[in-house]
């Protein structure tokens, strides 16, 4: 069944680097700077997620704040930060979760399905029957980004 | 050429459009679909030369759309731009008659490599 070792932070990091080099930092001048300490105190109020079901059960959540969501949207949509609206941020963060989640799926055992993305603002989503098993945090243009993989307990998603 | 871009994310349709331009494929007639069902319908009505499709979409997935088109005898050039890439998906895509499989995130170089033989 699923192997938690397949979900290493290095793998998440590789996916994130590809996203940054393709869309958010193509010139290589504004990378996501990793944060290792005090991640829990990083304030995020926008959360985009996809759920993964099948041979592995869990969720991939991309969290940031509004400033990061605006900068991300501006970069994805090639527009000025001032022009970015609520719908743009929702769509962009959803796509970001979709890209990360889709790439994560490639590292999981065959037979997994990725849901369409969901984006919420405010409180971070909590999954009572799952626990965080892999987390990558960083700052981009001084704003926080936290990417967390939640793995459901039991049912092929036995957490470490 | 007429190109149909099918993706439920407006952002991704925009990025595909921009990346086509960055890869030097200007001047093509672009049509957009928001899900697989709409893509299927637009292939019939708009008769595009190429379909660039997401995989995971509401109503009808990209591969279901492709299978349905082929079942109806439609041989439009069709391929996928998707964040999900597993051996079984690539096999399904190939078996359904897909021409290409591009993984998100992608670059203009990757578009150039894939679309140069198709778009010239």
């Amino acid at each position: 069944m699923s192997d938690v070792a397949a979900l290493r932070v290095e793998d998440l990091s590789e996916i994130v680097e590809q996203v940054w080099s393709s869309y958010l930092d193509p010139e290589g001048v504004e990378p996501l700077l990793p944060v290792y300490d005090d991640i829990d105190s990083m304030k995020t109020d926008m959360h985009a997620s996809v759920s993964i079901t099948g041979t592995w059960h869990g969720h991939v959540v991309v969290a940031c704040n509004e400033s990061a969501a605006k900068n991300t949207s501006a970069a994805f949509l090639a527009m000025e930060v001032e022009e970015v609206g609520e719908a743009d941020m929702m769509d962009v963060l959803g796509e970001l979760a979709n890209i990360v989640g889709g790439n994560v799926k490639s590292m999981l055992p065959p037979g997994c399905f990725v849901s369409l993305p969901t984006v919420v603002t405010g409180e971070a989503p909590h999954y009572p029957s799952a626990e965080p098993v892999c987390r990558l945090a960083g700052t981009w243009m001084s704003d926080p980004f936290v990417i967390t993989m939640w793995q459901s307990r039991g049912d092929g998603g036995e957490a470490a | 050429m007429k190109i149909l871009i099918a993706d439920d994310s407006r952002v991704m349709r925009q990025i595909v459009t921009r990346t086509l331009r960055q890869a030097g494929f200007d001047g093509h007639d672009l049509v957009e679909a928001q899900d697989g069902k709409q893509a299927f319908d637009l292939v019939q009505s708009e008769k595009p030369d190429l379909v660039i499709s997401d995989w995971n979409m509401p109503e009808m997935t990209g591969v279901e759309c492709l299978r349905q088109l082929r079942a109806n005898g439609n041989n439009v050039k069709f391929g996928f731009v998707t964040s999900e890439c597993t051996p079984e998906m690539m096999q399904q895509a190939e078996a359904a008659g897909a021409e290409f499989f591009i993984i998100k995130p992608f670059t203009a170089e990757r578009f150039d490599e894939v679309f140069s033989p198709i778009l010239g």
Side-chain angles (χ1 to χ4, degrees):
Chain A
M1 201 47 86
S2 63
D3 181 358
V4 178
L7 314 172
R8 295 175 310 160
V9 72
E10 290 84 356
D11 298 321
L12 270 187
S13 180
E14 194 178 317
I15 296 167
V16 164
E17 266 178 39
Q18 285 174 14
V19 172
W20 252 255
S21 66
S22 298
Y23 304 133
L24 297 177
D25 183 35
E27 309 293 328
V29 293
E30 203 77 68
L32 182 73
L33 301 171
V35 171
Y36 301 105
D37 300 321
D38 218 11
I39 297 170
D40 290 332
S41 68
M42 294 173 80
K43 296 273 179 250
T44 57
D45 54 9
M46 300 193 78
H47 305 88
S49 63
V50 292
S51 296
I52 299 177
T53 53
T55 51
W56 189 91
H57 289 256
H59 313 270
V60 177
V61 182
V62 178
C64 64
N65 63 11
E66 188 173 319
S67 171
K70 278 196 173 154
N71 286 325
T72 305
S73 302
F76 265 56
L77 296 165
M79 62 200 284
E80 297 300 323
V81 174
E82 299 75 36
E83 297 169 338
V84 172
E86 186 83 16
D88 297 323
M89 291 192 280
M90 295 292 178
D91 202 3
V92 165
L93 288 185
E95 188 53 39
L96 197 51
N98 175 49
I99 294 173
V100 176
N103 279 270
V104 162
K105 177 190 152 175
S106 308
M107 300 173 186
L108 295 171
C112 285
F113 300 91
V114 180
S115 74
L116 295 174
T118 304
V119 185
V120 294
T121 56
E123 285 289 300
H126 186 72
Y127 306 102
S129 60
E131 60 186 298
V133 289
C134 185
R135 187 164 60 164
L136 175 75
T139 56
W140 181 54
M141 299 167 79
S142 307
D143 291 314
F145 260 98
V146 183
I147 296 156
T148 310
M149 290 195 57
W150 291 74
Q151 186 171 17
S152 298
R153 296 185 186 97
D155 198 26
E158 197 65 44
Chain B
M1 272 196 181
K2 187 180 276 192
I3 304 170
L4 173 65
I5 301 167
D7 199 305
D8 54 314
S9 164
R10 176 182 59 93
V11 172
M12 196 40 69
R13 295 197 300 273
Q14 210 161 319
I15 290 176
V16 168
T17 300
R18 189 168 79 229
T19 310
L20 278 171
R21 201 171 57 237
Q22 286 168 345
F25 304 114
D26 285 322
H28 295 286
D29 187 5
L30 304 181
V31 185
E32 295 186 10
Q34 297 176 19
D35 59 52
K37 175 72 172 65
Q38 195 181 19
F40 177 77
D41 293 340
L42 284 174
V43 169
Q44 325 279 326
S45 59
E46 295 283 337
K47 299 186 172 39
D49 303 288
L50 170 67
V51 181
I52 302 174
S53 176
D54 188 17
W55 187 284
N56 197 7
M57 292 185 285
E59 304 295 331
M60 187 186 268
T61 66
V63 74
E64 283 166 0
C65 174
L66 173 57
R67 287 187 188 127
Q68 196 75 50
L69 287 168
R70 295 294 187 254
N72 284 11
N74 189 305
N75 285 317
V76 63
K77 284 192 193 326
F78 194 116
F80 294 99
V81 172
T82 173
S83 60
E84 301 173 47
C85 168
T86 59
E88 64 263 36
M89 282 172 72
M90 294 183 79
Q91 282 162 12
Q92 282 180 38
E94 196 178 349
E99 301 261 338
F100 55 87
F101 203 95
I102 297 173
I103 303 160
K104 299 177 197 172
F106 47 75
T107 58
E109 289 72 31
R110 177 69 180 135
F111 266 39
D112 180 43
E113 180 187 305
V114 171
F115 294 124
S116 282
I118 298 172
L119 298 172

